[in-house]
Amino acid sequence: MTLTPTRQAILPDRLTNSTLTSFLRSVPSVDEVAVAERVASLSTRSIKRESKAHALRMAISMMDLTTLEGMDTPGKVIQMSSKAVRPDPTDPSIPSVAAVCVYPAMVPYARQAVEGTGVKVASVATYFPSGQVDIGLKVEETRQVVEAGADEIDMVINRGAFLSGDYFRVFDEIVRVKEACGDAHLKVILETGELQTLDNVRRASVLAMAAGADFIKTSTGKVSPAATLPATLVMLEAIRDFWAATGVKVGMKPAGGIRTAKDAIRYLVVLNETLGEEWMSPDWFRIGASSLLNDVLMQIRWLETGRYQSADYFTKD
Amino acid sequence: MSRVDVRKTYKLYIGGEFPRSESGRSYPALDARGRVVARVAQASRKDLRDAVRHARNAQASWAARSGYNRGQILYRVAEMIEDRFETFVSQVQVTDPDRRRARREVTEAIDTIVWYAGWADKFAQIYGNLNPVAGPFFNISAPEPTGVVGIVAPQDSALLGLVSRLSAVLVSGNTAVVIASESRPMPAVTLAEVLATSDVPPGVVNILTGHTDELIPWLADHMDVNAIDAAGATPEQRRRIQEGAVHNVKRVVLDGEFGDRSPYVIAAFTETKTVWHPKGL
């Protein structure tokens, strides 16, 4: 197992399940009421018109435009990719999104569609969304997806192992998938909706970051609740403390259930208040979404025209 | 010790709920002699936006119901108004004290809803057609609902005017955002309470009380409103509605020239879809 020395600094010297367990128990526990209060107060903050216009464009540039459906076809992926490059064909000033996120079989089509545009290709791997297979298969799938041209890998953690207390297995799987990624960025999906408590969200965040995650991500989008502001705040605070302890910056990606421009702006506010301006870039923050993009485009058009908009006048992706 | 009356709060009706205006504002409703009888919610542009959003979300499933079912639901609305007959009479009397006239207006309103309810599964037979064409094709036209309809309710006939315009819009499967009579808002709010208890799905009808002049530009400019019934608008307001309508080519129906009951009002808020189907293959 290869570990990054700087990340390793926070871990116990000898890694076994029992040393990892006592290390994770020492992670500060989360005050759920305080988190809810903090999030609620940040959510009601009023944003001035110019700041909103700026935030909406920023949200687009941070978006991982996603389609993860059984009915995905090459045609749909190519269509979505062209929307990712030029979200609003009538307004070239709208930035491209950060990445398109697709299933492994769709990676070659997405790769071809965004080649040379600066938009990255992300793919889920490790038998998304359940991750319920042997680690050998997960590593193999990760290699194949990277070879097919993915710049970023979104893996799922082994929630079954995590909830039964087998932290070492969770850790080990992340390390091995990270190895298989090579140069590709690794985003680790915690699936916070299945972790039951915010304490677990915090522990899983620390575990993933120590194991080598470039990003930690809330959800697959296949489980309800998906991304929530409280879970996101807890993860952002874990990132902040990890940064303070090791000097390593880790990115954050809330995903799933973020459908309105208003929601997206709330996430940006929480990000700015927790990690500050350094993280306010697509290199360190992503929003995983599918229907969000149209709502943001409609809000931008509304700010520009003063007329409330209709979905009829925006392309379906 | 004398008892303090428990007075009703006159609120908006949006998405099946009764919120106050998000702006927190209200305005006085006056009786025939100019005395304040209640304070009603004064809707803002954001309330209108929310109302349109709910109307849009409710439209497809309302249109997908059978005409027969929509007719049943409208009939249920009539039943519930009948049940609150005296409440409606007293609220009509607030601005029009003549009791006989008020009773006549409420009776007429109930009968008008029943009349439109009957059309729900029949109007398509009148406006649909098998068109003769010069080729081996069936050419069939059928009316479909226009979508989300804004209704500027008649100012004077607060109950009858409102229910006759509203029924005609709902029958074919449209959903509605109503700007109630500004000077006579009380029957509209009570009608909302009737609608909420008559199996009308949430969002199919949304009723806003407030200043018509303030709300009309937002309604007229809204890209997600497909048609506007301007029955209760002043000439100035009608011009504003027509100006706003150009952005998404809204259908604008300028006056109630067909009266309180007419299948032509139903037709005004439908679009004709025509399909060609080859014969003999």
Side-chain angles (χ1 to χ4, degrees):
Chain A
M1 177 163 26
T2 50
L3 291 169
T4 329
T6 46
R7 291 182 189 247
Q8 212 174 356
I10 63 160
L11 293 173
D13 292 335
R14 208 170 55 83
L15 278 180
T16 66
N17 197 44
S18 77
T19 58
L20 255 186
T21 304
S22 50
F23 163 68
L24 287 177
R25 288 208 180 121
S26 73
V27 169
S29 70
V30 178
D31 180 341
E32 301 210 0
V33 175
V35 167
E37 279 297 304
R38 173 82 176 143
V39 162
S41 80
L42 291 177
S43 297
T44 55
R45 181 166 295 184
S46 77
I47 311 286
K48 289 212 165 54
R49 202 185 164 82
E50 307 81 69
S51 311
K52 198 182 278 177
H54 183 68
L56 291 171
R57 281 161 194 271
M58 181 182 262
I60 291 178
S61 74
M62 290 173 166
M63 218 173 279
D64 280 5
L65 195 58
T66 304
T67 182
L68 295 169
E69 301 293 339
M71 58 183 180
D72 285 349
T73 59
K76 186 184 174 197
V77 167
I78 291 165
Q79 200 175 335
M80 186 187 78
S81 300
S82 62
K83 179 153 181 160
V85 174
R86 177 70 71 85
D88 184 347
T90 66
D91 183 356
S93 78
I94 304 278
S96 300
V97 305
V100 289
C101 184
V102 296
Y103 267 125
M106 295 296 143
V107 167
Y109 307 105
R111 176 83 267 158
Q112 204 180 354
V114 303
E115 198 59 55
T117 62
V119 175
K120 297 203 162 58
V121 176
S123 175
V124 294
T126 70
Y127 289 74
F128 178 95
S130 73
Q132 293 279 23
V133 295
D134 182 74
I135 177 64
L137 288 172
K138 294 185 184 178
V139 168
E140 186 50 37
E141 192 193 26
T142 306
R143 282 214 189 88
Q144 284 179 9
V145 173
V146 172
E147 217 163 276
D151 305 300
E152 303 174 353
I153 300 295
D154 290 27
M155 76 169 286
V156 288
I157 65 164
N158 191 329
R159 282 92 73 197
F162 185 89
L163 292 171
S164 57
D166 195 353
Y167 300 122
F168 186 79
R169 183 159 161 208
V170 179
F171 183 85
D172 181 56
E173 288 191 2
I174 299 171
V175 171
R176 290 169 68 175
V177 172
K178 172 70 182 166
E179 278 172 9
C181 281
D183 291 336
H185 269 230
L186 178 65
K187 305 190 201 117
V188 177
I189 304 170
L190 309 182
E191 195 64 299
T192 55
E194 289 183 343
L195 295 184
Q196 315 298 335
T197 66
L198 288 180
D199 279 338
N200 275 345
V201 171
R202 172 102 192 192
R203 288 185 190 130
S205 304
V206 173
L207 198 62
M209 289 187 289
D214 296 303
F215 267 72
I216 50 177
K217 173 174 166 183
T218 58
S219 325
T220 58
K222 304 293 184 196
V223 166
S224 183
T228 62
L229 280 168
T232 302
L233 177 61
V234 168
M235 290 166 73
L236 290 170
E237 286 176 346
I239 291 172
R240 182 190 60 199
D241 295 349
F242 187 78
W243 182 46
T246 64
V248 175
K249 280 174 81 174
V250 174
M252 171 70 197
K253 176 177 172 186
I258 306 172
R259 295 197 181 85
T260 65
K262 200 177 257 181
D263 284 341
I265 290 177
R266 286 186 181 139
Y267 279 91
L268 290 178
V269 169
V270 171
L271 172 68
N272 191 37
E273 293 300 318
T274 314
L275 291 171
E277 236 173 281
E278 274 207 62
W279 260 264
M280 302 288 281
S281 110
D283 293 337
W284 300 107
F285 191 76
R286 296 285 179 81
I287 302 171
S290 45
S291 55
L292 171 65
L293 179 55
N294 266 6
D295 196 63
V296 172
L297 292 175
M298 281 163 67
Q299 288 302 311
I300 291 175
R301 186 90 53 96
W302 140 250
L303 285 175
E304 282 169 357
T305 61
R307 289 191 292 275
Y308 288 121
Q309 295 299 309
S310 163
D312 288 352
Y313 303 95
F314 293 83
T315 56
K316 290 204 175 93
D317 36 287
Chain B
M1 215 170 76
S2 69
R3 182 173 176 277
V4 178
D5 291 350
V6 179
R7 308 278 296 273
K8 180 160 104 184
T9 311
Y10 286 81
K11 300 200 276 187
L12 308 174
Y13 182 51
I14 299 173
E17 296 185 351
F18 291 91
R20 292 179 166 80
S21 169
E22 63 76 40
S23 63
R25 300 173 306 174
S26 64
Y27 74 102
L30 310 177
D31 69 6
R33 289 200 251 160
R35 293 172 304 195
V36 176
V37 285
R39 296 195 67 87
V40 297
Q42 185 187 335
S44 69
R45 65 172 170 86
K46 289 189 182 174
D47 295 316
L48 185 130
R49 174 201 65 187
D50 292 346
V52 173
R53 189 163 47 81
H54 281 106
R56 171 57 63 201
N57 290 341
Q59 203 267 324
S61 62
W62 176 241
R65 285 171 187 255
S66 66
Y68 177 65
N69 185 232
R70 282 197 300 274
Q72 284 179 310
I73 291 173
L74 281 176
Y75 189 85
R76 174 84 176 152
V77 174
E79 288 176 11
M80 300 304 275
I81 297 179
E82 182 92 30
D83 196 45
R84 297 192 182 206
F85 194 86
E86 285 305 324
T87 310
F88 277 103
V89 169
S90 67
Q91 289 191 351
V92 171
Q93 277 187 288
V94 166
T95 49
D96 186 3
D98 186 312
R99 184 163 170 81
R100 282 229 323 267
R101 258 213 316 266
R103 287 182 63 89
R104 208 159 53 228
E105 167 151 359
V106 178
T107 310
E108 191 71 6
I110 295 168
D111 293 354
T112 301
I113 297 175
V114 173
W115 189 86
Y116 274 111
W119 275 105
D121 54 359
K122 301 175 189 71
F123 77 95
Q125 295 159 48
I126 306 292
Y127 295 118
N129 193 46
L130 181 60
N131 309 312
V133 288
F137 297 98
F138 288 115
N139 183 265
I140 303 156
S141 294
E144 295 198 337
T146 302
V148 173
V149 179
I151 299 175
V152 184
Q155 293 295 325
D156 299 334
S157 175
L159 182 65
L160 176 58
L162 171 55
V163 298
S164 65
R165 306 312 294 180
L166 182 61
S167 306
V169 162
L170 296 183
V171 163
S172 64
N174 296 295
T175 54
V177 174
V178 175
I179 301 176
S181 168
E182 183 172 340
S183 55
R184 295 165 171 78
M186 292 166 75
V189 178
T190 304
L191 178 68
E193 291 158 12
V194 163
L195 294 166
T197 51
S198 318
D199 303 331
V200 178
V204 167
V205 182
N206 304 275
I207 298 181
L208 305 174
T209 52
H211 294 334
T212 317
D213 261 334
E214 177 191 347
L215 294 172
I216 274 184
W218 301 106
L219 182 68
D221 288 350
H222 203 308
M223 299 292 282
D224 217 13
V225 173
N226 303 112
I228 295 181
D229 183 341
T234 63
E236 189 62 29
Q237 290 167 341
R238 288 174 182 204
R239 190 153 67 237
R240 183 63 185 84
I241 289 171
Q242 286 177 302
E243 276 171 20
V246 301
H247 297 293
N248 64 338
V249 207
K250 281 182 198 65
R251 189 170 288 285
V252 179
V253 175
L254 278 181
D255 45 43
E257 60 177 309
F258 304 115
D260 287 333
R261 292 182 197 174
S262 166
Y264 292 110
V265 189
I266 302 175
F269 297 101
T270 60
E271 308 298 323
T272 301
K273 179 188 266 185
T274 298
V275 291
W276 296 69
H277 189 277
K279 249 183 207 172
L281 284 179

CSV table of all heavy atoms in Angstrom, one decimal, chain B residues 3 10 33 40 46 54 62 87 130 134 138 151 159 174-175 177 192 204 220 231 259:
chain,number,residue,atom,x,y,z
B,3,ARG,N,-66.6,38.5,24.5
B,3,ARG,CA,-65.7,37.6,23.8
B,3,ARG,C,-65.1,38.4,22.6
B,3,ARG,O,-65.8,39.2,21.9
B,3,ARG,CB,-66.5,36.4,23.3
B,3,ARG,CG,-65.7,35.4,22.5
B,3,ARG,CD,-66.6,34.2,22.2
B,3,ARG,NE,-65.8,33.2,21.3
B,3,ARG,CZ,-65.8,33.4,20.0
B,3,ARG,NH1,-66.4,34.3,19.4
B,3,ARG,NH2,-65.1,32.5,19.3
B,10,TYR,N,-57.5,36.6,5.5
B,10,TYR,CA,-57.6,36.4,4.0
B,10,TYR,C,-56.3,36.3,3.4
B,10,TYR,O,-55.5,37.3,3.3
B,10,TYR,CB,-58.4,37.6,3.4
B,10,TYR,CG,-59.9,37.5,3.8
B,10,TYR,CD1,-60.3,37.9,5.1
B,10,TYR,CD2,-60.8,36.9,3.0
B,10,TYR,CE1,-61.7,37.8,5.4
B,10,TYR,CE2,-62.1,36.8,3.3
B,10,TYR,CZ,-62.6,37.2,4.6
B,10,TYR,OH,-63.9,37.1,4.9
B,33,ARG,N,-69.9,51.2,1.7
B,33,ARG,CA,-69.9,52.5,2.2
B,33,ARG,C,-68.5,53.0,2.5
B,33,ARG,O,-68.3,54.0,3.2
B,33,ARG,CB,-70.7,52.6,3.5
B,33,ARG,CG,-72.2,52.5,3.1
B,33,ARG,CD,-73.0,53.1,4.3
B,33,ARG,NE,-73.7,52.0,5.0
B,33,ARG,CZ,-74.2,52.2,6.2
B,33,ARG,NH1,-74.0,53.2,6.9
B,33,ARG,NH2,-74.9,51.2,6.8
B,40,VAL,N,-56.8,42.0,3.3
B,40,VAL,CA,-56.4,40.8,2.5
B,40,VAL,C,-55.0,40.9,2.1
B,40,VAL,O,-54.4,42.0,2.0
B,40,VAL,CB,-57.4,40.7,1.3
B,40,VAL,CG1,-58.8,40.5,1.7
B,40,VAL,CG2,-57.2,41.9,0.4
B,46,LYS,N,-43.1,37.9,-6.5
B,46,LYS,CA,-42.6,36.6,-6.2
B,46,LYS,C,-43.7,35.6,-5.9
B,46,LYS,O,-43.6,34.4,-6.2
B,46,LYS,CB,-41.7,36.7,-5.0
B,46,LYS,CG,-40.4,37.4,-5.3
B,46,LYS,CD,-39.4,37.3,-4.2
B,46,LYS,CE,-38.1,38.0,-4.6
B,46,LYS,NZ,-37.1,38.1,-3.5
B,54,HIS,N,-46.2,26.6,-9.7
B,54,HIS,CA,-47.1,25.5,-9.3
B,54,HIS,C,-48.1,25.2,-10.4
B,54,HIS,O,-48.4,24.0,-10.6
B,54,HIS,CB,-47.8,25.9,-8.0
B,54,HIS,CG,-47.0,25.7,-6.8
B,54,HIS,ND1,-46.5,26.8,-6.1
B,54,HIS,CD2,-46.6,24.6,-6.1
B,54,HIS,CE1,-45.7,26.3,-5.1
B,54,HIS,NE2,-45.8,25.0,-5.1
B,62,TRP,N,-53.1,17.4,-14.8
B,62,TRP,CA,-54.5,17.8,-14.9
B,62,TRP,C,-55.0,17.5,-16.3
B,62,TRP,O,-56.1,17.0,-16.4
B,62,TRP,CB,-54.6,19.3,-14.5
B,62,TRP,CG,-55.9,19.9,-14.6
B,62,TRP,CD1,-56.3,20.9,-15.4
B,62,TRP,CD2,-57.1,19.6,-13.8
B,62,TRP,NE1,-57.6,21.3,-15.2
B,62,TRP,CE2,-58.1,20.5,-14.3
B,62,TRP,CE3,-57.4,18.6,-12.9
B,62,TRP,CZ2,-59.4,20.4,-13.8
B,62,TRP,CZ3,-58.7,18.6,-12.4
B,62,TRP,CH2,-59.7,19.5,-12.8
B,87,THR,N,-72.5,31.9,3.3
B,87,THR,CA,-71.2,32.6,3.4
B,87,THR,C,-70.9,33.4,2.2
B,87,THR,O,-70.5,34.6,2.3
B,87,THR,CB,-70.0,31.6,3.6
B,87,THR,OG1,-70.4,30.7,4.6
B,87,THR,CG2,-68.7,32.3,3.9
B,130,LEU,N,-62.8,15.3,-38.3
B,130,LEU,CA,-62.1,14.5,-39.3
B,130,LEU,C,-62.2,15.3,-40.6
B,130,LEU,O,-63.2,15.6,-41.2
B,130,LEU,CB,-62.9,13.2,-39.5
B,130,LEU,CG,-62.3,12.2,-40.5
B,130,LEU,CD1,-60.9,11.8,-40.1
B,130,LEU,CD2,-63.1,11.0,-40.7
B,134,ALA,N,-57.2,15.7,-49.8
B,134,ALA,CA,-57.1,15.2,-51.1
B,134,ALA,C,-56.0,14.2,-51.2
B,134,ALA,O,-54.9,14.4,-51.8
B,134,ALA,CB,-56.8,16.3,-52.2
B,138,PHE,N,-56.2,9.8,-43.2
B,138,PHE,CA,-57.1,10.3,-42.2
B,138,PHE,C,-56.4,11.6,-41.7
B,138,PHE,O,-55.2,11.6,-41.4
B,138,PHE,CB,-57.2,9.4,-41.0
B,138,PHE,CG,-58.0,8.1,-41.3
B,138,PHE,CD1,-57.4,6.9,-41.3
B,138,PHE,CD2,-59.4,8.2,-41.6
B,138,PHE,CE1,-58.2,5.8,-41.5
B,138,PHE,CE2,-60.2,7.1,-41.8
B,138,PHE,CZ,-59.6,5.9,-41.8
B,151,ILE,N,-55.5,34.6,-15.4
B,151,ILE,CA,-56.9,35.2,-15.5
B,151,ILE,C,-56.9,36.5,-14.7
B,151,ILE,O,-56.7,36.5,-13.5
B,151,ILE,CB,-57.9,34.2,-15.0
B,151,ILE,CG1,-57.9,32.9,-15.8
B,151,ILE,CG2,-59.3,34.9,-15.0
B,151,ILE,CD1,-58.9,31.9,-15.2
B,159,LEU,N,-67.8,37.0,-7.8
B,159,LEU,CA,-67.9,35.6,-7.7
B,159,LEU,C,-68.3,35.0,-9.1
B,159,LEU,O,-67.6,34.2,-9.7
B,159,LEU,CB,-68.9,35.2,-6.7
B,159,LEU,CG,-69.1,33.6,-6.5
B,159,LEU,CD1,-67.8,33.0,-6.0
B,159,LEU,CD2,-70.2,33.3,-5.6
B,174,ASN,N,-56.4,23.2,-18.8
B,174,ASN,CA,-55.5,24.2,-18.5
B,174,ASN,C,-55.4,24.3,-16.9
B,174,ASN,O,-56.2,23.9,-16.2
B,174,ASN,CB,-55.9,25.6,-19.0
B,174,ASN,CG,-56.0,25.6,-20.5
B,174,ASN,OD1,-55.0,25.5,-21.2
B,174,ASN,ND2,-57.2,25.8,-21.0
B,175,THR,N,-54.3,25.0,-16.5
B,175,THR,CA,-54.2,25.4,-15.1
B,175,THR,C,-54.2,26.9,-15.0
B,175,THR,O,-53.9,27.5,-16.0
B,175,THR,CB,-53.0,24.8,-14.4
B,175,THR,OG1,-51.8,25.2,-15.1
B,175,THR,CG2,-53.0,23.3,-14.3
B,177,VAL,N,-53.7,30.9,-13.1
B,177,VAL,CA,-53.2,31.8,-12.1
B,177,VAL,C,-54.2,33.0,-12.1
B,177,VAL,O,-54.2,33.7,-13.1
B,177,VAL,CB,-51.8,32.3,-12.4
B,177,VAL,CG1,-51.3,33.3,-11.4
B,177,VAL,CG2,-50.8,31.1,-12.3
B,192,ALA,N,-61.3,30.0,-2.9
B,192,ALA,CA,-60.0,29.2,-2.8
B,192,ALA,C,-60.2,28.1,-1.8
B,192,ALA,O,-59.7,27.0,-1.9
B,192,ALA,CB,-58.8,30.1,-2.4
B,204,VAL,N,-53.5,23.5,-9.6
B,204,VAL,CA,-54.4,23.7,-10.8
B,204,VAL,C,-55.0,25.0,-10.8
B,204,VAL,O,-55.1,25.7,-11.8
B,204,VAL,CB,-55.4,22.5,-10.8
B,204,VAL,CG1,-56.5,22.8,-11.9
B,204,VAL,CG2,-54.8,21.2,-11.1
B,220,ALA,N,-47.9,39.4,-17.6
B,220,ALA,CA,-47.8,39.6,-19.0
B,220,ALA,C,-46.5,39.2,-19.6
B,220,ALA,O,-46.4,38.7,-20.7
B,220,ALA,CB,-48.1,41.1,-19.4
B,231,ALA,N,-60.3,39.5,-19.1
B,231,ALA,CA,-61.7,40.0,-18.9
B,231,ALA,C,-61.8,41.2,-17.9
B,231,ALA,O,-62.6,42.1,-18.2
B,231,ALA,CB,-62.5,38.8,-18.3
B,259,GLY,N,-70.1,36.1,-23.0
B,259,GLY,CA,-71.0,36.1,-21.8
B,259,GLY,C,-70.5,35.1,-20.8
B,259,GLY,O,-69.4,34.5,-20.9
